[in-house]
Amino acid sequence: MKISNKVFVQLFDPSVTKTVGHLKSLLSDGSLKDVRVLLYGFGGYSESPGVTTCSIRSIGPGTEVVIPDGASSVVLRGALIYGHNPSSISERILKYTYGTSHTPIFVEGVHPECKRYEADDHSIRCRDVFSKLATIGQSVKMGENTSKENIYYNFPVRTKVYAVLK
């Protein structure tokens, strides 16, 4: 089977367009606005001439794009480094919002009536309230602790931690 170069390039157009759009949105984010060097390279996709050419053109002047040699094996090498030394990653940006479900005192007009119930201690509580522990996009350091005070749980310590895309 023969595929013309034009048709083959068009197969990647939707993917390249989304990649470039995502790159632009990241660079327009407040915390990344002043980025002047972009390390662009993990996996074989970053070595694709179509992807790199479109990406370099889209970010505009003033930002240098660096594509390291051996970009196709970067993910594997990173996994090996992390596997041997988990502390090699000192900080990361959260992909999800994390939290727990808990039962605060019911507040009339704030909580839905269908969530109202009487707890074992006879206090009026609201069930299934999501309490955020960490938020999507938040930067966290390895070993960093977070705590919440005054969270009432109506069950023994078998708390579930949830991750949501919000």
Side-chain angles (χ1 to χ4, degrees):
M1 177 161 115
K2 276 187 152 182
I3 299 174
S4 72
N5 188 44
K6 183 180 178 182
V7 171
F8 193 77
V9 168
Q10 287 176 341
L11 289 173
F12 290 92
D13 279 348
S15 176
V16 170
T17 301
K18 285 184 179 179
T19 300
V20 168
H22 183 63
L23 188 57
K24 283 181 175 180
S25 72
L26 286 173
L27 291 173
S28 67
D29 179 79
S31 62
L32 299 175
K33 237 178 219 172
D34 296 326
V35 169
R36 294 293 164 245
V37 176
L38 181 64
L39 180 60
Y40 191 77
F42 55 89
Y45 192 71
S46 65
E47 293 176 335
S48 161
V51 174
T52 55
T53 303
C54 289
S55 299
I56 291 168
R57 265 192 260 138
S58 71
I59 60 173
T63 303
E64 181 184 354
V65 176
V66 177
I67 302 167
D69 291 333
S72 58
S73 64
V74 166
V75 174
L76 175 62
R77 286 184 289 174
L80 286 169
I81 290 167
Y82 180 74
H84 288 285
N85 182 12
S87 64
S88 62
I89 296 177
S90 61
E91 188 173 347
R92 70 185 190 102
I93 306 296
L94 295 180
K95 187 176 180 179
Y96 303 102
T97 294
Y98 295 91
T100 61
S101 175
H102 73 107
T103 55
I105 298 290
F106 185 85
V107 178
E108 200 76 44
V110 172
H111 298 120
E113 195 63 37
C114 64
K115 301 284 185 173
R116 179 187 183 124
Y117 79 101
E118 186 176 339
D120 293 341
D121 66 355
H122 303 292
S123 61
I124 304 301
R125 301 255 169 208
C126 181
R127 70 177 80 244
D128 302 327
V129 173
F130 183 74
S131 177
K132 288 183 187 180
L133 297 173
T135 307
I136 191 169
Q138 179 181 339
S139 175
V140 293
K141 292 180 171 49
M142 293 298 284
E144 182 178 59
N145 294 323
T146 185
S147 64
K148 293 280 183 173
E149 296 179 24
N150 303 326
I151 296 179
Y152 177 85
Y153 295 97
N154 66 336
F155 43 81
V157 182
R158 55 185 170 121
T159 303
K160 293 181 181 177
V161 175
Y162 299 94
V164 294
L165 287 168
K166 288 185 183 175

